[in-house]
């Protein structure tokens, strides 16, 4: 499958089987992480066989078997959250191509994992591994509810919006609006502490659906 096809297949998975990620896949994941760290000056880190990702109450009520996860971290700059959201989307979809499941955790992760990335700001984690299932599609808003275009909506814009609706967002509220005019596109979003990360996640998915060559961010 292509990464666009994998984008449609990727769903949130909170429960995992006790199965190690093979060394060859670990190596590929680390290369993808290294690529994003270098490109965006980040400190994203893969943790293996470590059960400190989520708090005990979350393990009891929501999650199970989360022993592998990716720490989303970097220097505390104004655009850190957006860069981490964007990079996490890239890594999660890459993981999907490797046959792995993921869960983006922006609010209920264990803040104690910050000790593994000293002097860096952590905004969340991505649980990763082999899920007990592949998850299900989340309830989604419609294209009309999250977008508007000045004039006749081009196909690339429509494809971008539909792709954006596949992005994980805080509490799955999809509280954003994408506005287009000509080849200019902007995202209107205010999700409080999750604004930056959500914007990055949405941007990545929109670009993948629309094609970067089709438009410019405003």
């Amino acid at each position: 499958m292509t990464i666009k096809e994998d984008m449609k297949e990727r769903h949130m998975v909170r429960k995992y089987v006790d199965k190690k990620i093979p060394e060859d896949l670990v190596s590929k994941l680390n290369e993808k992480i290294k690529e994003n760290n270098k490109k965006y000056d980040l400190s994203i880190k893969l943790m293996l066989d470590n059960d400190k990702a989520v708090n005990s109450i979350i393990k009891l009520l929501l999650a199970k078997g989360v022993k592998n996860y990716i720490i989303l971290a970097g220097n505390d700059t104004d655009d850190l959250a957006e860069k981490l959201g964007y990079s996490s989307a890239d890594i999660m979809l890459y993981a999907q191509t490797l046959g792995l499941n993921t869960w983006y955790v922006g609010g209920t992760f264990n803040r104690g994992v910050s000790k593994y990335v000293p002097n860096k700001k952590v905004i969340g984690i991505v649980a990763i591994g082999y899920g007990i299932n592949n998850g299900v599609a989340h309830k989604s808003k419609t294209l009309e509810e999250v977008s508007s275009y000045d004039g006749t909506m081009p196909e690339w814009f429509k494809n971008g919006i539909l792709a954006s609706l596949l992005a994980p967002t805080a509490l799955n509220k999809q509280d954003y609006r994408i506005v287009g005019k000509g080849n200019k596109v902007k995202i209107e979003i205010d999700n409080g502490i999750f604004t930056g990360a959500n914007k990055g996640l949405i941007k990545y998915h929109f670009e993948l659906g629309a094609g970067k060559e089709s438009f410019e961010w405003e």
Side-chain angles (χ1 to χ4, degrees):
M1 289 193 294
T2 66
I3 194 165
K4 284 188 177 182
E5 292 170 329
D6 279 301
M7 175 172 59
K8 297 177 182 178
E9 295 298 319
R10 193 210 69 80
H11 306 302
M12 176 180 66
V13 175
R14 288 173 167 165
K15 298 180 179 180
Y16 295 82
V17 299
D18 187 12
K19 178 181 177 181
K20 288 184 178 295
I21 301 175
E23 286 300 320
D24 62 324
L25 298 193
V26 169
S27 179
K28 290 179 179 180
L29 283 172
N30 277 323
E31 278 301 311
K32 174 61 71 171
I33 290 170
K34 181 180 179 181
E35 175 187 313
N36 277 274
N37 281 341
K38 182 178 180 180
K39 187 173 184 179
Y40 302 108
D41 189 25
L42 300 172
S43 302
I44 301 171
K45 184 174 183 179
L46 175 64
M47 301 294 295
L48 300 172
D49 298 317
N50 182 301
D51 63 358
K52 306 300 182 182
V54 293
N55 298 317
S56 298
I57 189 68
I58 301 301
K59 292 178 186 177
L60 182 65
L61 298 178
L62 293 176
K64 180 182 179 182
V66 177
K67 293 183 178 180
N68 308 305
Y69 58 97
I70 297 163
I71 303 175
L72 304 177
N75 294 320
D76 191 3
T77 58
D78 290 342
D79 60 349
L80 174 64
E82 184 176 331
K83 291 192 297 184
L84 286 171
Y86 191 94
S87 293
S88 65
D90 186 51
I91 296 166
M92 284 189 288
L93 289 179
Y94 181 68
Q96 188 74 26
T97 70
L98 299 179
L100 299 168
N101 301 110
T102 55
W103 170 29
Y104 182 91
V105 190
T108 55
F109 68 98
N110 180 4
R111 266 64 179 178
V113 301
S114 61
K115 68 183 179 182
Y116 301 120
V117 281
N119 304 314
K120 304 298 179 181
K121 182 176 180 179
V122 177
I123 70 158
I125 64 166
V126 173
I128 188 168
Y130 295 96
I132 60 172
N133 55 49
N134 290 318
V136 296
H138 59 244
K139 185 178 179 181
S140 180
K141 289 185 177 180
T142 64
L143 181 149
E144 293 77 15
E145 288 177 305
V146 301
S147 71
S148 63
Y149 189 86
D150 186 358
T152 302
M153 184 180 293
E155 195 67 18
W156 63 261
F157 185 83
K158 177 181 178 181
N159 290 338
I161 298 300
L162 294 177
S164 79
L165 289 168
L166 298 174
T169 55
L171 305 178
N172 193 31
K173 288 186 175 182
Q174 297 180 323
D175 287 343
Y176 65 91
R177 191 163 188 81
I178 299 179
V179 180
K181 182 178 181 180
N183 73 331
K184 304 292 186 180
V185 179
K186 65 178 179 179
I187 298 177
E188 298 173 349
I189 182 172
D190 184 3
N191 293 155
I193 62 172
F194 300 112
T195 296
N198 283 351
K199 189 174 184 179
L201 287 157
I202 293 163
K203 269 190 170 183
Y204 185 94
H205 283 74
F206 184 91
E207 288 178 1
L208 189 58
K212 289 184 179 181
E213 70 285 353
S214 301
F215 73 100
E216 294 180 3
W217 289 113
E218 190 174 354

